[in-house]
Amino acid sequence: MDMFKAMDVSASGLSAQRFRMDVIAENIANIDTTRTEDGEAYRRRVTVFEEVDTTDSFSAALSKATEYSSAGGVRVSEVIEDPSEFKLEYDPDHPDANEEGYVEKPNVEVVTEMVDMMSASRAYEANVTALNASKEMYMKALEIGR
């Protein structure tokens, strides 16, 4: 049995949520970016998580089969672009305006990003709490041996 598995799972959650917060911050920073390298407005990005598969070897599969929990943690599998439509804003003086005078604005909504940021922050805090609980449990176990 892997004694520090709970800490590894919490650490993977911390890393994934930190990356998610970085992507959200990038979305907010680009809320007014009307031109990117590919010539269109900035497109909102979203992180996709997946469970970490710990069955990559026979010994890992055997130990996983003998444990009560099969938790393996989480990782960011990819960052996808939100396919929703851009917002159109009438501004004929803008350098990126089309023939009708409309500018394509990014599909980023501040409220959505703030809600996602709060969710990522709470998940991060929950992982910190789980990590600290595991650490405290291991410390108590060491005290028993004295």
Side-chain angles (χ1 to χ4, degrees):
M1 178 174 104
D2 186 2
M3 189 170 127
F4 297 104
K5 187 169 195 159
M7 294 179 96
D8 291 340
V9 171
S10 294
S12 72
L14 289 170
S15 178
Q17 294 301 332
R18 182 203 44 82
F19 186 83
R20 180 179 171 206
M21 285 191 267
D22 290 345
V23 171
I24 293 167
E26 179 184 340
N27 289 340
I28 294 170
N30 284 291
I31 200 159
D32 290 322
T33 304
T34 58
R35 188 183 318 159
T36 59
E37 291 177 358
D38 58 358
E40 63 178 13
Y42 177 82
R43 193 167 287 280
R44 177 178 184 256
R45 290 173 173 78
V46 180
T47 55
V48 178
F49 295 158
E50 71 180 4
E51 181 182 13
V52 174
D53 185 14
T54 58
T55 59
D56 55 354
S57 68
F58 177 75
S59 62
L62 183 61
S63 67
K64 183 177 178 182
T66 59
E67 293 179 11
Y68 292 113
S69 172
S70 63
V74 66
R75 69 176 176 173
V76 176
S77 64
E78 63 182 324
V79 177
I80 60 172
E81 290 186 344
D82 183 351
S84 63
E85 295 293 321
F86 293 121
K87 297 178 278 187
L88 291 177
E89 182 178 292
Y90 185 72
D91 186 2
D93 297 330
H94 195 283
D96 292 328
N98 62 15
E99 304 82 40
E100 293 90 31
Y102 288 96
V103 179
E104 285 186 336
K105 300 290 273 186
N107 58 349
V108 178
E109 294 289 336
V110 175
V111 174
T112 303
E113 299 304 318
M114 294 307 292
V115 168
D116 286 350
M117 181 69 81
M118 288 170 49
S119 172
S121 177
R122 295 292 184 222
Y124 191 91
E125 289 173 10
N127 279 296
V128 168
T129 301
L131 184 69
N132 287 334
S134 297
K135 183 175 71 173
E136 187 175 322
M137 184 177 68
Y138 299 139
M139 295 302 291
K140 293 292 184 187
L142 289 174
E143 287 176 13
I144 292 172
R146 288 184 190 186

